[in-house]
Amino acid sequence: MGSGTFLLGVIRYLEARILSKIYDEGSNSDLDPQMIRSEILNNCIYGTDINSLAVELAKFSFWIFTSRSGQKLQSLKF
């Protein structure tokens, strides 16, 4: 898991695939990309590491990456 860089890349990839699918289908959706990131993180991303500090660093990276402007930061489900 390390610092979570690979998993952040997975979130970005899945987000891009979901958004392209939505736009290709012509769906007039008001989905917020940041909400999609949050859903991907909470439902699709898993990781483990021997080093507990690496896990905390990754959790912090995910928390910052999925935060939404104008919204309070929420705790992640880990």
Side-chain angles (χ1 to χ4, degrees):
M1 182 170 172
S3 64
T5 304
F6 176 77
L7 295 175
L8 285 174
V10 171
I11 294 171
R12 286 186 187 110
Y13 174 79
L14 291 174
E15 175 189 6
R17 296 288 296 166
I18 290 169
L19 288 174
S20 70
K21 186 74 171 169
I22 289 170
Y23 296 139
D24 287 348
E25 291 178 354
S27 222
N28 189 9
S29 178
D30 294 334
L31 286 176
D32 179 13
Q34 292 176 332
M35 185 191 74
I36 292 172
R37 285 181 192 167
S38 209
E39 289 297 316
I40 291 169
L41 176 62
N42 288 322
N43 296 303
C44 304
I45 303 299
Y46 301 93
T48 186
D49 199 303
I50 293 172
N51 185 346
S52 61
L53 183 58
V55 173
E56 292 302 316
L57 179 61
K59 286 171 32 177
F60 182 71
S61 295
F62 298 149
W63 188 51
I64 295 297
F65 184 68
T66 59
S67 65
R68 292 184 253 175
S69 60
Q71 299 280 330
K72 290 184 178 181
L73 290 174
Q74 299 175 0
S75 61
L76 296 174
K77 302 172 192 172
F78 285 108

